[in-house]
């Protein structure tokens, strides 16, 4: 984010700001007055008429941009000022009828949402900070934290410029954190006499996921010999179905020597911005000598089996993400001996309107250098081993599974000065809802490595950490995933299939170590004890499950509060099998079975903003908006 | 409480009050000023010199009184104004050296306590609102909520009159609720240069339990033919040991007809106010034709076994409790056919100084009428059956056991118009720390019947409810007790012994019904499944516990997080055995074994006061106290 962009948002804010504060937010003085002259409060509320003159902010004032709807009618740009604790939005409405709704909610639903609404009663247009209750009914917010700075008709559509504090202290507002934010939008196709008259269930609406609060990290200097390589889909036609994962194999040039990837960025075919959801470049396993070329959907029956060995992430991009820069002191090695020359591009197309015949050549552009940086960057997998012994009972709203990277493993595998984590990519399959990795030192949690309380399996991106986390030998890394299996009838076991589950945090760190994988799973013997006791408790012990797979055993459990609670207790108690591995197959030497669960105290206090709402005030008025070119 | 007492506390408050508020509590205006002129804040703090003139408040201004220490050197009186939300204390210090400490804490400890301190530096005396941190270090509170109204030397000692709001919104202050409050006190035997210099670990100190916030219920009119009967110890000598439970059998006159007890009050031998801790009068079971006379300690080997059948509570008093009045429409029947003529008085003497040769004739005075009131009052036992199947693992800080009175039982046993609970006595043995009974209707908790979050087994009294609770047929009553077994090595099972546990709420209600007991326990068959599975899980299944008692089975469990968690899960899941009984032996007709656990949603929201502290202010100054007759 440039300082220019901040100052624009700040400049246009200043005059209205002080005015606004007096008008909308009762100051303490007003509160005193209010308590004495309650009935006089109303006259303090004035209608803010937004100034509609001035030039449109140029696009580069807003470093971040996403289309909201699949047709790209709504386009959101934003910037953040961490010093002023303000986030500034620019919403481009390419086709305006009677208004739009934009906002945020816990997981993209339209109830309990924090909204701004631009609406017309057929005569005038209004802008207001609003919220929906548990039934989706819209109400004007008594504390107007979204402030309209500009509403301007341009050639491209109506530009709405508005800002809000990052933290508003208003319980009706969404608390923007640095994890995934579910943005919601809706189109108003008819006039409404009032905000309350809008029926949110009847309008065209949708959601879009982004990380709004990107970390404020300055761009590292790039090496002078920078070269780039495009890994893009070869002019394919996007299938006319909602979800497509496209797979394409690309080969590195012959005799391509060892290089460091120092940056990469997305290439998105013009017009397809709303269709390309996320993209990843994987490197195939070095052991696979010849990977067949392939260009097709990843679930195709034609897909060669060998492509399943192309899982080593080189680069990942998701909607709203900016170019990814490695820290100046490190780069991701590729090429040269011991490195596969085969790369797999995977593009997730999200085509809910099932558009036909759309050509696409999107992909990623890798920037690399032969001037190797001081440190090789590495990627390490934390969390749970892909095994069915870790399972989630059905009908759970928030069941937690936890994987450990134990002190024994970090003691053995990490250098004395530790490793430095600078980025993280969280990963689960379909039922994942939250993921967190914490660092524990000397028995106490001391740091959050990465956390997403609004995690969605449909939105996975490599995220730079706000602050580099150093892991020393003897530290413990604990990764917990929260799952929702309300719609499942059987237990969901761990595994590779999309209907099975994973709990993984790919941490990006330097200097590279031999430790590729530091994950755990419950000891399988203890799980057998669980099956035995739960079946005998439920009087369903047929005594013959020695031939059954763990998945089948889980499928035959009668789920009730007891079998669920005891499974939880087992996972909180039973010893673990540690995978402290050099590669997915080779463990570090040592005893890794039946290891004790790390005993960790929660030493970290949750910092929740303590805010007080001001009760008993009448709802504030919305702002009157003068849009001359409003369509009817 | 008389209105006179309120007005006294109010009168002496008024002038200082507004003054005080401006001086000590920064108002919103001050907060604004503070933010602008931070450095000027200090000058706003002024030293409040308490006016020492005026007459001492007469004793009856303070309806409640307790001695704090065993010698009665400190005597606390208090009154409450619910309209002004203020509690007013009068502390009589019979022998003052260099000061006293008085306050409240969670369970009577001297760390994390909310205190007022009167101390002398050898020259001047000061009074201040203070608190101790987790290490017991005293600090002056930045928000001075205890306000000194008067400090006066009288013939009886120094009288300190001070007040505080019931709710101070200061996190350093104790939140006074309507349950047990652990008062703490200490004596300062030397001068201290400052409050911070007081070493709380070195001073003589102690605790006293009271219910501070008595409900504000007006006294019912008493019948014209009121008679009274004293059930008192016959001039006994209190044993010179810390704890004595004294038992004394008293016989009703021959041909004593049916009467209604409408009130009772304590009779305490003058001078023994600090020794008599609590007293109860029980009626023996009608089935026991002849109960031998007895006068001795309840644990005496000489005590006749038949006294164990004298457990039907007629009256109960505990330290600080006022006379107990039945509601005008109801009385507790005793006498007449079907009612035992034997009463047992039990007095708990608390004699920590092990004083010798103290004579005592304390007891209770029952007031009764032959003009029977419209309704017989009844006492019903809620909670857990006295059975070892309900057990608490060792080393637990807050293990919860829950007993149910199911809809099936209330449907069968309660009249159509329901019963009305007007008082409640909570009961556990030594490890009980909290007790709560809630009422659930149509699957949702709708009301708290009685709750004590600071329950102590050493302080059990019948408490009038602030508001009568009506229980209708089909309602569910849920009683939960929280236990602390940190100092135990084996599981604590349910039972009659003082080292075993109980979870009981004796509710006092009218009209009397046949239902004497509505309690539950886990189904014993399911508990056997638990033992089986936990022993086989821990590989300790010797396969031969058919001869063992449940207590022995619990004693042989290997306690760890798994066996503990699974026991919790069992209690939350397994069907229950219901005791829906006419008397302790006779059940209502119906199937009461293997009943499903009631499915209840928590429909009640906890109302916790949301307060904001004002950060960044310097500590307020203590008040200078002018005590002319201060001793050295």
């Amino acid at each position: 984010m440039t300082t220019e962009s901040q100052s624009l948002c700040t400049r246009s804010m200043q005059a209205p700001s002080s005015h606004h504060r007096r008008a909308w937010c009762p100051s303490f003085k007003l509160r005193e007055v209010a308590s004495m002259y309650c009935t006089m409060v109303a006259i303090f509320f004035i209608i803010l008429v937004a100034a509609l003159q001035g030039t449109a902010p140029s696009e580069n004032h807003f470093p971040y941009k996403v289309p909201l709807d699949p047709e790209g009618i709504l386009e959101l740009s934003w910037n953040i000022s961490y010093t002023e604790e303000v986030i500034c939005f620019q919403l481009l409405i390419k086709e305006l009828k009677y208004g739009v709704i934009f906002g945020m909610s816990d997981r993209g639903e339209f109830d309990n949402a924090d909204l701004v609404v631009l609406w017309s009663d057929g005569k005038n247009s209004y802008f207001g900070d609003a919220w929906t209750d548990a039934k989706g009914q819209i109400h004007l917010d008594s504390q107007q934290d979204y402030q309209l700075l500009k509403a301007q008709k341009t050639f491209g559509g109506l530009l709405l410029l508005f800002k809000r504090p990052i933290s508003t202290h208003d319980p009706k507002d969404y608390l923007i954190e640095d994890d995934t934010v579910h943005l919601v939008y809706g189109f108003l196709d008819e006039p409404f006499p009032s905000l309350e008259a809008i029926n949110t269930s009847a309008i065209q609406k949708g959601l879009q996921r982004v990380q709004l609060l990107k970390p404020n990290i300055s761009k590292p200097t790039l090496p002078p010999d920078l070269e780039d390589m495009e890994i893009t889909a070869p002019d394919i036609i996007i299938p006319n179905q909602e979800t497509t994962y496209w797979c394409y194999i690309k080969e590195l040039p012959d005799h391509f020597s060892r290089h460091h990837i120092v940056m990469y960025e997305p290439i998105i075919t013009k017009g397809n911005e709303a269709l390309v959801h996320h993209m990843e470049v994987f490197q195939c396993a070095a052991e696979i000598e010849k990977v067949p070329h392939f260009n097709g959907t990843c679930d195709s029956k034609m897909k060669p089996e060998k492509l399943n060995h192309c899982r080593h992430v080189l680069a990942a991009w998701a909607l709203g993400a900016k170019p990814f820069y490695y820290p100046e002191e490190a780069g991701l090695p590729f090429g040269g001996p011991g490195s596969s020359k085969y790369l797999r591009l995977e593009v997730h197309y999200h085509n809910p309107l099932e558009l036909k015949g759309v050509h696409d050549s999107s992909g990623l552009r890798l920037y690399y250098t032969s001037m190797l940086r001081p440190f090789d960057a590495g990627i390490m997998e934390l969390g749970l081993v892909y095994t069915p012994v870790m399972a989630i009972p059905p009908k759970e709203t928030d069941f937690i599974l936890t994987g450990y990277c134990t002190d024994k493993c970090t003691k053995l595998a990490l250098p004395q000065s530790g490793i430095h984590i600078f980025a993280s990519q969280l990963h689960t399959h379909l039922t994942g809802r939250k993921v967190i990795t914490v660092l524990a030192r000397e028995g106490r949690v001391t740091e959050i490595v990465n956390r997403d309380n609004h995690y969605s399996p449909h939105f996975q991106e490599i995220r730079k950490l706000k602050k580099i986390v150093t892991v020393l030998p003897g530290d413990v890394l604990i990764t917990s995933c929260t799952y929702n299996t309300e719609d499942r009838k059987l237990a969901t076991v761990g595994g590779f299939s999309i209907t099975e589950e994973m709990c993984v945090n790919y941490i990006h760190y330097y200097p590279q170590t031999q430790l590729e994988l530091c994950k755990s799973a419950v000891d399988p013997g203890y799980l057998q004890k669980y099956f035995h006791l739960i079946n005998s408790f439920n009087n369903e012990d047929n005594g013959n499950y020695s031939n059954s797979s763990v998945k089948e055993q889980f499928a035959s459990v009668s789920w009730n509060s007891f079998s669920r609670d005891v499974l939880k207790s087992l996972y909180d108690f039973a010893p673990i099998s540690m995978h402290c591995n050099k590669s997915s197959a080779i463990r570090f030497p040592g005893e890794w079975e039946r290891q004790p669960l790390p005993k960790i105290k929660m030493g970290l206090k949750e910092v929740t903003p303590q805010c007080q709402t001001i009760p008993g005030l009448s709802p504030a008025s919305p702002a009157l908006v003068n849009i001359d070119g409003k369509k009817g």
Side-chain angles (χ1 to χ4, degrees), chain A:
Chain A
M1 188 181 15
T2 62
T3 49
E4 217 180 78
S5 72
Q6 290 175 21
S7 64
L8 170 105
C9 200
T10 311
R11 250 201 325 274
S12 40
M13 271 151 47
Q14 269 162 352
S17 170
S18 63
H19 173 70
H20 168 88
R21 239 182 224 154
R22 220 160 283 160
W24 303 88
C25 315
S27 70
F28 287 121
K29 243 174 202 151
L30 181 56
R31 283 176 67 181
E32 280 207 341
V33 172
S35 72
M36 297 189 301
Y37 310 106
C38 270
T39 52
M40 291 184 63
V41 167
I43 64 161
F44 282 81
F45 295 112
I46 65 161
I47 293 172
L48 178 74
V49 180
L52 300 183
Q53 308 313 316
T55 54
S58 72
E59 199 178 322
N60 64 2
H61 288 126
F62 294 95
Y64 312 115
K65 188 165 84 173
V66 283
L68 291 182
D69 59 303
E71 291 176 277
I73 295 170
L74 290 178
E75 199 176 79
L76 181 77
S77 310
W78 74 99
N79 66 45
I80 312 145
S81 166
Y82 284 103
T83 50
E84 298 186 35
E85 299 186 350
V86 161
I87 182 160
C88 190
F89 296 100
Q90 180 187 272
L91 189 63
L92 174 62
I93 308 160
K94 293 180 187 164
E95 292 168 32
L96 178 67
K97 286 186 177 168
Y98 283 89
V100 292
I101 299 178
F102 163 77
M104 303 152 201
S105 71
D106 189 39
R107 301 201 64 84
E109 57 285 348
F110 236 75
D111 43 13
N112 297 313
D114 172 22
L115 304 174
V116 292
V117 184
L118 175 76
W119 82 99
S120 165
D121 57 11
K123 211 172 131 199
N124 292 312
S125 289
Y126 304 90
F127 175 92
D129 180 352
W131 55 279
T132 53
D133 57 27
K135 290 173 179 166
Q137 171 62 47
I138 297 192
H139 305 276
L140 192 66
D141 200 336
S142 59
Q143 199 179 318
Q144 293 280 311
D145 294 293
Y146 289 87
Q147 183 188 358
L148 183 64
L149 302 174
K150 229 182 251 280
Q152 182 171 45
K153 192 131 191 297
T154 66
F155 185 72
L158 180 74
L159 273 182
L160 279 187
L161 187 68
F162 52 97
K163 61 160 193 162
R164 67 162 255 192
I166 293 175
S167 175
T168 62
H169 304 313
D170 177 355
K172 299 293 184 212
D173 288 343
Y174 182 88
L175 177 66
I176 305 178
E177 292 180 295
D178 55 4
D179 58 355
T180 303
V181 176
H182 288 72
L183 302 175
V184 295
Y185 62 87
F187 296 99
L188 303 183
D189 291 344
E190 48 176 324
F192 289 98
S194 73
L195 189 71
E196 284 72 19
I198 300 170
N199 177 1
T200 57
S201 63
I203 63 170
Q204 183 203 332
K205 56 186 182 286
L207 74 91
Q208 181 66 289
R209 297 177 187 93
V210 294
Q211 182 192 27
L212 277 181
L213 296 190
K214 311 277 184 187
N216 198 6
I217 299 169
S218 55
K219 278 181 196 167
T221 331
L222 292 174
D225 74 333
L226 198 66
E227 291 187 79
D228 70 76
M229 177 190 295
E230 293 187 0
I231 324 274
T232 52
D235 191 23
I236 66 141
I237 291 168
I238 300 175
N240 57 334
Q241 58 195 27
E242 178 163 353
T243 301
T244 299
Y245 280 81
W246 195 270
C247 275
Y248 171 65
I249 293 291
K250 162 120 183 174
E251 210 172 323
L252 290 180
D254 282 341
H255 313 297
F256 186 77
S257 66
R258 188 173 175 89
H259 286 80
H260 268 169
I261 299 173
V262 294
M263 196 265 267
Y264 57 83
E265 64 183 12
I267 304 166
I268 295 171
T269 301
K270 186 97 185 131
N272 294 358
E273 289 81 0
L275 295 169
V276 179
H277 185 273
H278 82 246
M279 303 184 283
E280 288 187 81
V281 173
F282 300 92
Q283 188 166 33
C284 300
E287 301 85 59
I288 311 294
E289 286 200 6
K290 176 86 190 134
V291 177
H293 280 230
F294 181 72
N295 182 34
T297 62
C298 299
D299 61 353
S300 160
K301 286 174 186 167
M302 307 292 287
K303 191 185 79 168
E305 193 278 331
K306 279 187 179 170
L307 265 64
N308 293 336
H309 297 274
C310 306
R311 293 178 171 276
H312 177 70
V313 178
L314 279 194
W317 171 91
L319 211 86
K322 298 292 296 175
F324 185 88
Y325 288 83
Y326 277 83
E328 246 161 74
E329 58 275 30
L332 187 71
F334 80 136
S339 168
S340 170
K341 63 189 238 182
Y342 297 99
L343 305 182
R344 176 169 68 92
L345 172 71
E346 183 178 296
V347 185
H348 173 189
Y349 294 105
H350 183 62
N351 183 7
L353 302 177
E354 303 186 354
L355 306 172
K356 281 185 190 175
V358 181
H359 284 252
D360 188 69
S361 303
S362 299
L364 292 170
R365 188 180 290 120
L366 309 180
Y367 291 84
Y368 56 94
T369 172
S370 58
M371 296 162 66
L372 297 183
R373 289 178 165 188
F375 299 109
D376 280 351
I379 298 169
M380 190 191 299
E381 248 183 75
L382 304 177
L384 285 177
V385 181
Y386 308 136
T387 154
V389 299
M390 299 305 296
I392 307 123
K395 313 284 173 215
E396 294 290 329
T397 56
D398 48 0
F399 197 90
I400 299 173
L401 293 183
T402 300
Y404 300 87
C405 176
T406 59
D407 54 340
K408 187 170 173 178
C409 179
T410 60
K411 258 181 209 150
L412 203 68
L414 301 192
Q416 215 46 47
S417 56
I419 56 166
H420 311 288
I421 309 176
F422 57 88
S424 154
Q425 184 184 16
L426 308 175
H427 177 70
T428 75
H429 286 167
L430 299 175
T431 68
R433 294 293 178 274
K434 294 180 186 186
V435 184
I436 184 172
T437 297
V438 296
L439 173 80
R441 186 167 292 165
E442 287 159 11
R444 284 193 174 273
V445 173
T446 55
E447 222 168 332
I448 294 173
V449 176
N450 193 9
R451 167 169 62 178
D452 196 335
N453 279 337
H454 302 89
Y455 174 85
S456 167
H458 306 297
F459 186 58
Q460 305 184 7
E461 56 178 346
I462 299 181
R463 288 189 184 151
K464 289 294 269 286
L465 304 186
K466 265 195 287 195
K467 176 184 155 293
I468 283 182
V469 174
T470 297
V471 186
L472 298 176
D475 287 352
V476 178
L477 291 158
I478 306 167
T479 302
S480 293
C481 296
T482 306
Y483 301 94
N484 182 310
T485 58
E486 276 179 297
D487 60 351
R488 304 250 167 134
K489 283 182 183 157
L490 295 176
T492 301
V493 297
F496 287 94
S497 152
I498 189 67
T499 59
E500 297 172 335
E501 266 306 338
M502 291 190 173
C503 178
V504 176
N505 182 355
Y506 296 99
I507 52 167
H508 296 247
Y509 71 96
Y510 67 87
Q512 196 180 35
T513 69
Q514 284 196 295
L515 186 63
E516 274 208 357
L517 201 150
C518 191
K519 309 202 296 185
S520 74
V522 71
D523 174 78
Y526 271 76
L527 184 69
Q528 287 309 315
K529 286 187 179 199
Y530 167 79
F531 288 129
H532 179 73
L533 71 85
I534 220 65
N535 288 329
S536 83
F537 188 88
N538 288 335
N539 294 322
E540 281 156 8
D541 198 353
N542 50 27
N544 179 23
Y545 33 63
S546 51
N547 297 326
S548 304
S549 68
V550 167
K551 190 172 178 175
E552 285 164 342
Q553 285 175 296
F554 268 118
S556 70
V557 168
S558 286
W559 292 106
N560 53 43
S561 84
F562 188 72
S563 46
R564 184 259 319 258
D565 287 352
V566 176
L567 185 64
K568 268 190 192 171
S569 308
L570 181 91
Y571 288 150
D572 286 343
F573 171 77
I576 52 177
S577 162
M578 268 306 298
H579 286 217
C580 178
N581 291 15
K582 295 184 184 183
S583 72
S584 62
I586 302 158
R587 287 187 180 183
F588 275 84
E591 178 51 50
W592 299 109
E593 294 306 326
R594 292 194 164 229
Q595 296 297 295
L597 268 191
K599 287 211 171 86
I600 304 295
K601 281 183 192 160
M602 212 31 226
L604 210 66
K605 273 193 186 159
E606 276 291 327
V607 183
T608 42
Q610 288 216 342
C611 314
Q612 223 170 4
T613 48
I614 302 146
L617 289 171
S618 324
S621 307
L624 188 65
V625 184
N626 186 356
I627 307 164
D628 43 282
K630 174 174 57 72
K631 289 183 182 181

